[in-house]
Amino acid sequence: MNKKSRRLTAFLLVLVLAFTTVPAWAEEETVSELQSRYSAMDVLNRLRTNLGLRTLSMQSALNEAAGAHSVYMDTNRSLSSLERREKTGFTGVTPIDRMQYAGFSGQSVYELLAYRVDDYNVMLEQALHDPYRRYMLLYPGCDSIGFGSSHDYAEFLLGCRDDLSWEDTLVLYPYPGQQEVGNCLLKQLTEIPEEVRAASRRSQIGEPVTITYYCAGGDSMEFRNLSISFMDTKQGREVAYFCVLPQENRELSQTLILYPLELYNADTRYEITLTAQVFQDGEQTADIEQKWSFTSSGPDSIGEISRLEALANLAQLFEISSEPLEEDPQEFFWDYAYDETDPINCQIYRLLDSKILRKQIDGENLYAEEGITREQMAIWMMRFLHEYSEGLYYSVYLDYEDTFEDINRCSTEGKVAVQRAYLLGLVRDQGGEKFSPDVYITRTEFDEWLTALSNLLQTAEKAEK
């Protein structure tokens, strides 16, 4: 197939979002559903505008196709881009079949599927963390969008009416001057290179950087004679990263990916200098010379309260002894060795001994610098309370009639801890009656929870007197 023929070939890429948040969407196009659609489209359009890309318009046929496939997935309890003719609700085997069935006459379509997400904005935010989904959302040829949802299932359809009406385009993300760039969880990535997984001791990394040379028709390319500088300007040092070249990635054959092997520091400008030569079919077609910067999130960003900080503050609140242990601890972490000269370290091992602090699934590491989720914080607060103020712990009777909509997303222990903390007035929802247990707690919210816990303990102490 020659190059011209390849350019006329519709390019389809389907990926699946598999998050764990319970949705609140209705099947019909309610006011909240429509608001969610237009809100997500506006956010995406602002991003595309900042990147110099065409904006998207809402397309009724794509809404219809997306809605029908969401109902199909919900009816058959199957998260899949393909439909089977013998199944209830069948409207087409592939996304292209379904968009044509609904009356959309575009050249190609991109489909993003989701299972159990809060709303379309959350779905968009999570998708942008991932290079594979980001490729679709920022594709220059897209000009229309449709949304659909049915209970636990939802999807975006991005349509391209004329896939050949744009020139080759270089897209950088995070884009030049972008603010509030955060960290992302490894579980949010479609693929995690083994080098990234092995090098990172935490479950999150800095936002991946993508440099995509979009070429109409999806032609594969090579980046040669590559030179990259990735600087933390506040500390004046190079950022450790793992690089995936487009010629090394069949799925994203137009994208260079930089996976930071560390978390971004708060409120820090990161600067990238890149030079490369672009080759297609063995011929050089472009030179890339780019120098740009972006700024990470401020003090309330994801992971700003580390596990170590949370434990240290709770230990101080409950007046855990920081004196050296009389005997060497029986429990230990590979990444956090006992040091009798460090007060916080001594407290950590006392918490291990009391079973307030327990080893993670891997049984070896504390991951002290990792951020703490809202659920884990609630669990630790309730473990402390049960150990050191049992009367207060049992002062409320568990009743799940008044609770968070997403309480069942919590683990068995987490469900009890979150509900008890809620009844004690220590935690509140994230809006829309949702607790969002796997969201990393911010510094501001951590202070609010700790203050509420401190006030509760002081009130109980006065009552005893």
Side-chain angles (χ1 to χ4, degrees), residues 420-446:
R420 193 176 296 279
Y422 172 66
L423 296 174
L424 287 168
L426 302 178
V427 303
R428 54 186 174 82
D429 66 26
Q430 290 284 78
E433 300 182 352
K434 291 183 173 62
F435 181 69
S436 302
D438 56 352
V439 171
Y440 276 63
I441 193 168
T442 65
R443 186 173 295 276
T444 300
E445 189 173 33
F446 177 83

Side-chain angles (χ1 to χ4, degrees), residues 156-172:
F156 293 165
L157 280 179
L158 300 165
C160 308
R161 293 183 183 277
D162 183 355
D163 208 12
L164 306 179
S165 64
W166 51 277
E167 297 179 352
D168 293 353
T169 305
L170 179 68
V171 174
L172 311 172

Side-chain angles (χ1 to χ4, degrees), residues 258-274:
L258 305 181
Y259 291 97
L261 300 180
E262 57 190 73
L263 300 179
Y264 290 140
N265 295 314
D267 196 23
T268 299
R269 184 169 64 87
Y270 288 88
E271 185 176 87
I272 299 177
T273 303
L274 169 73

Side-chain angles (χ1 to χ4, degrees), residues 398-408 410 414-416 418-420 422-423 429 432-435:
L398 289 183
D399 180 4
Y400 291 95
E401 290 186 5
D402 179 19
T403 190
F404 303 106
E405 286 188 3
D406 54 358
I407 190 73
N408 290 325
C410 297
K415 183 177 180 181
V416 174
V418 169
Q419 183 63 12
R420 193 176 296 279
Y422 172 66
L423 296 174
D429 66 26
E433 300 182 352
K434 291 183 173 62
F435 181 69

Side-chain angles (χ1 to χ4, degrees), residues 109 212 265:
V109 66
T212 303
N265 295 314

Side-chain angles (χ1 to χ4, degrees), residues 311-324:
L311 286 168
N313 278 277
L314 285 168
Q316 182 179 10
L317 181 63
F318 283 90
E319 300 180 350
I320 308 302
S321 174
S322 60
E323 294 297 317

Side-chain angles (χ1 to χ4, degrees), residues 281-297:
D281 296 329
E283 297 181 4
Q284 183 180 347
T285 59
D287 286 314
I288 298 177
E289 294 184 5
Q290 295 288 323
K291 182 176 183 178
W292 79 102
S293 64
F294 56 87
T295 303
S296 59
S297 300

